[in-house]
Amino acid sequence: MFVVATAGHVDHGKSTLVHRLTGMWPDRLEEEQRRGLTIDLGFAWTTIAGREIAFVDVPGHERFVTNMLAGCGPMPRESAVLFVVAATEGWMPQSEEHFAALQALGVRHALVVVSKADLADPAPVVADLTGRFGGAPVVLGTDRDRVRAELVALTERLPEPDPVADVRLWVDRSFTVRGAGTVVTGTLAAGTLRVGDDLEHDGRRVTVRGLQSLGRGRSEVRAVARVAVNLRGVDREDIARGDTVSTPGAWLRTDEIDVAFRSPGTLHEQLVLHVGSAAVPVRVRPLGDAGARLRLSRPLPLRIGDVGLLRDPGEHRIVAGVDVLDVRPPALRRRGDARDRGAQLRTGEVAPPVCVRWKELRAMGFDTRGLRIGEWVVDEQWWARRREAVVGIVERWAAEHDVAAGVPLETLRQQTGLPATELVSPLLAGTGFEVSDGRVRRPGAELPQRVDEAVRVLEGRLVDAPFRAPEAAELATLSLGAKELAAAVRAGRLTKLADGVVLGPAVVDQARIVLQRLPQPFTVAEAKRALDTTRRVAVPLLELLARQRVTRANPDGTHCVAG
C-alpha cells in the first residue's frame, strides 16, 4: 500500500480531487459536509494499476493547520504529497504555509495538480508551480487519466519500508466501536502490526485486539499503510491524537531534546513542536545558529533521526524544520557548554553516551555496536581511561584511610564516573583488587606499623591466656579502636567475638580442644571455668562456636561439642 497526503490552500479542490480519484468523499463530519469545508483529516482509498493508494486529505484553512500537520507529520520522510493549486487563484497564503511545512518535514516526492483548470487559464499557474517545485510533475486536474498515471509513477519512486522495524503508530483519531472497544487510526510508517501484538501506550501495555485497513479486517498490516487498531487495555478517554502505540521498550520517552535546524527563521522562546501527529508547546534555548535545546511540555517517544517542525501559532508561520539529534542531551552547566554543544549540532550528528544500557541506546536510535559489558555498551577509550584511573583511586584511598576496609563501592563508582555499581567489578578485572563486603581493596593488605605493633603486644599476652580478652582500658592504652581492631580481624591477626571483645586467630580450634575434655553436655559456667575466662568472653565465644557448628546449644540451655 502507498499513502499520499494532500496539501494546498482552502477551497482549491483537494477533497474534490480525492473524490474523483477514489469515488469516496473524504469529508466525514456533518459540519464539513454542511459547510463544504474540510475541517479535520479525511481518508479515502482506491486501486490504480494494481497499486493500493490511500489518501490522507487535510484541511486548507489557516485555522486548521494543526490538523494538516497531524496528517502529514506521521508520514515517512520518503513519503509523497498531492499538492493542489487552483487555476482561478494561484499561489495563496496557505499554499505557502503548506509548502513550507512540507519542506520543513523533509517531504521529497510530490505531484502538483492544478485544479479548476476549466474555469481559468492554467498556464501562468503551471509556470509558477514548475519554478517552485523543481522537477515535480505538474498536471491539470481536468486530465484525470494523467493524474492517475502520475500517481503510479510517484509510487514507483518511493523506497521500500522496513517491515521488521520497531512500530510507532502516531494516533490521528480515536473512538469507540460498540462491542469492540477502543479503536485508533494512524499511518503505519515502518514495521508490521499483527493481531495479538503487545504494544505500549504512555508506559503501559496494550494488546492489538483487531486490525483493519482500507475497510477490510486484517490479521497483519505492513508499512506503509493506513490502519485502524482495536486495542485492549486502554479506554477511549485515555488515548487521543498526538499519542502513540509502539513496540514496548523500543522508544525513549523524553521531554528534552537537542535538534538541528533546516532553514531556520526567527526563533522565539515559546513555540510549538509538531512531530508525528503531536503538537507540543516547547521552550526553546538556541545553541548557536545551527540548533537548539527544546523543553517539551509533555514527554514524547522520540529517537534521533526523527523529523519535525517548529511553528509560531500566533503568527501562523513555520519557523524551522528540525532533525532530532539527541533525546537524552547532556547538561549545560559550565560557561561555554552551550557554544560547544552548538558546534556539535552543526555537524548534523552527536556521539552516543559513553556508557549506557544497550536497550536504552537502541531506544534512543543509536547503533548498539560497541564494547559490551553485561547489558551495557561502553566506549572503549572511555572504559580504558576508567581502568587506568581505578588503580590510583584505590591506592590513594588506602594511603588516606590506612585501617579502612577498602574503598566503598559507591565511592569508587562516583570517582570513576560509572553510572552503576554493577560495573565496578568488571572494571576491576585484572587489576589485582578484590570486592568484599561492599568495599574494594588489595587482597592481604598489611596493617599499618602502629597497628601491627599494638597487635603484637596482644598476641604475646594471648599466648599464655588465650581466652582472656583484653579489657577496654588496655585496648585504649594501645590505641586500638574499633577501626584498628576491624583491620586486624580482616588481616587474620585477631578474632572478633563481640564489639570490643577480641581473641587470637586460633581461638576456635583451641576452644574445641578444651571443651571436648568436659563431660557432655556442659553449662556456660562449666565452659567459663574450663576456659579460664569470664562470662563476657564465654557467652559470645559459645555463640561463635555454635555458628561454626563446633558446638551445639541444647533446649535446656546446656551445650555439647558437635560430632
Side-chain angles (χ1 to χ4, degrees):
M1 184 192 309
F2 301 91
V3 180
V4 178
T6 66
H9 192 76
V10 60
D11 201 30
H12 275 206
K14 297 183 295 299
S15 300
T16 300
L17 178 60
V18 170
H19 178 251
R20 292 186 64 200
L21 291 170
T22 66
M24 303 172 65
W25 196 258
D27 289 344
R28 56 188 170 80
L29 301 178
E30 180 181 344
E31 182 182 358
E32 292 177 315
Q33 296 169 7
R34 184 179 71 252
R35 297 172 59 184
L37 174 70
T38 300
I39 296 173
D40 205 351
L41 302 178
F43 309 99
W45 56 87
T46 190
T47 300
I48 303 175
R51 290 169 169 80
E52 290 181 324
I53 301 178
F55 293 92
V56 179
D57 188 38
V58 307
H61 197 284
E62 67 177 2
R63 289 171 51 198
F64 308 119
V65 170
T66 295
N67 292 345
M68 176 266 182
L69 293 172
C72 294
M75 303 280 286
R77 194 167 189 172
E78 292 284 347
S79 59
V81 64
L82 183 65
F83 204 104
V84 181
V85 180
T88 53
E89 292 187 311
W91 197 254
M92 295 292 284
Q94 293 316 117
S95 304
E96 181 63 34
E97 185 165 18
H98 284 203
F99 183 66
L102 295 172
Q103 286 187 312
L105 292 171
V107 176
R108 302 174 184 175
H109 304 282
L111 170 61
V112 187
V113 175
V114 179
S115 63
K116 305 183 183 183
D118 53 343
L119 302 178
D121 180 8
V125 175
V126 170
D128 177 42
L129 296 176
T130 300
R132 291 180 186 273
F133 283 88
V138 180
V139 300
L140 301 182
T142 52
D143 188 352
R144 187 171 64 171
D145 290 340
R146 173 80 188 284
V147 173
R148 290 165 65 89
E150 290 292 352
L151 277 172
V152 172
L154 181 65
T155 61
E156 290 177 346
R157 296 194 294 271
L158 300 179
E160 287 289 329
D162 183 359
V164 298
D166 296 323
V167 167
R168 180 183 54 180
L169 181 74
W170 290 96
V171 175
D172 53 41
R173 290 180 63 208
S174 65
F175 50 91
T176 301
V177 174
R178 182 174 297 178
T182 303
V183 176
V184 300
T185 66
T187 299
L188 181 64
T192 302
L193 282 171
R194 299 178 179 84
V195 173
D197 279 353
D198 285 331
L199 300 175
E200 187 174 68
H201 167 253
D202 198 20
R204 62 187 173 194
R205 292 295 176 96
V206 295
T207 303
V208 178
R209 186 177 180 181
L211 291 170
Q212 192 177 89
S213 185
L214 305 189
R216 300 194 301 273
R218 315 277 181 127
S219 60
E220 78 170 34
V221 177
R222 291 190 175 190
V224 171
R226 285 295 304 173
V227 61
V229 187
N230 182 198
L231 294 173
R232 181 187 297 115
V234 61
D235 293 333
R236 156 69 183 86
E237 294 77 12
D238 296 328
I239 189 168
R241 177 175 292 176
D243 289 346
T244 63
V245 287
S246 58
T247 301
W251 305 84
L252 184 71
R253 291 182 61 81
T254 179
D255 61 2
E256 191 172 56
I257 59 176
D258 280 355
V259 299
F261 295 138
R262 277 176 283 114
S263 302
T266 303
L267 294 175
H268 298 303
E269 187 178 1
Q270 297 285 350
L271 296 172
V272 173
L273 171 68
H274 292 265
V275 58
S277 61
V280 180
V282 296
R283 184 177 295 276
V284 181
R285 179 179 181 181
L287 301 174
D289 58 0
R293 176 155 300 177
L294 306 182
R295 181 72 178 181
L296 285 59
S297 60
R298 67 181 178 93
L300 291 177
L302 301 175
R303 277 184 179 175
I304 61 170
D306 281 339
V307 176
L309 62 84
L310 292 172
R311 182 171 181 266
D312 185 338
E315 298 184 7
H316 302 289
R317 66 182 181 87
I318 307 300
V319 174
V322 297
D323 292 312
V324 178
L325 296 188
D326 202 339
V327 293
R328 187 182 287 170
L332 303 175
R333 296 191 178 96
R334 298 175 298 179
R335 184 187 300 272
D337 280 355
R339 181 188 63 252
D340 294 343
R341 188 60 170 173
Q344 291 178 331
L345 300 183
R346 189 175 292 108
T347 68
E349 62 181 43
V350 297
V354 293
C355 184
V356 65
R357 289 182 173 87
W358 75 266
K359 287 184 178 180
E360 295 179 39
L361 195 65
R362 173 174 171 265
M364 294 168 71
F366 286 108
D367 190 337
T368 58
R369 288 176 297 181
L371 179 61
R372 288 287 296 269
I373 307 293
E375 63 177 12
W376 296 80
V377 179
V378 302
D379 178 85
E380 292 192 44
Q381 293 183 348
W382 178 87
W383 185 255
R385 290 194 296 271
R386 303 280 85 68
R387 287 179 63 86
E388 292 173 2
V390 75
V391 175
I393 292 171
V394 177
E395 297 292 1
R396 283 194 300 274
W397 177 274
E400 295 169 3
H401 306 80
D402 60 355
V403 293
V407 188
L409 281 177
E410 177 59 18
T411 299
L412 190 58
R413 182 199 70 78
Q414 292 178 7
Q415 294 193 16
T416 53
L418 298 178
T421 53
E422 66 192 78
L423 290 166
V424 174
S425 290
L427 185 68
L428 294 172
T431 64
F433 296 123
E434 66 177 9
V435 179
S436 178
D437 297 327
R439 292 175 177 268
V440 178
R441 63 173 184 247
R442 284 200 180 278
E446 296 183 355
L447 295 176
Q449 182 176 353
R450 62 183 178 83
V451 179
D452 176 72
E453 292 175 353
V455 171
R456 289 181 184 277
V457 173
L458 292 185
E459 289 173 333
R461 198 176 66 68
L462 290 171
V463 170
D464 297 327
F467 307 110
R468 288 277 182 175
E471 298 292 337
E474 183 178 1
L475 294 175
T477 300
L478 294 171
S479 298
L480 291 176
K483 292 182 179 180
E484 288 76 13
L485 291 176
V489 170
R490 287 193 302 273
R493 301 278 294 276
L494 296 174
T495 299
K496 179 180 177 179
L497 302 185
D499 289 343
V501 182
V502 292
L503 293 175
V507 66
V508 171
D509 291 334
Q510 292 171 325
R512 179 193 293 113
I513 294 171
V514 173
L515 296 177
Q516 282 177 335
R517 300 174 186 154
L518 290 176
Q520 308 291 314
F522 53 85
T523 65
V524 173
E526 290 170 335
K528 181 185 69 171
R529 288 193 296 271
L531 295 169
D532 188 24
T533 189
T534 64
R535 186 176 181 85
R536 166 177 169 265
V537 174
V539 171
L541 178 56
L542 288 172
E543 292 173 351
L544 173 63
L545 295 173
R547 288 195 300 272
Q548 296 192 11
R549 299 185 179 181
V550 174
T551 62
R552 184 177 63 252
N554 299 317
D556 62 358
T558 61
H559 301 260
C560 59
V561 176

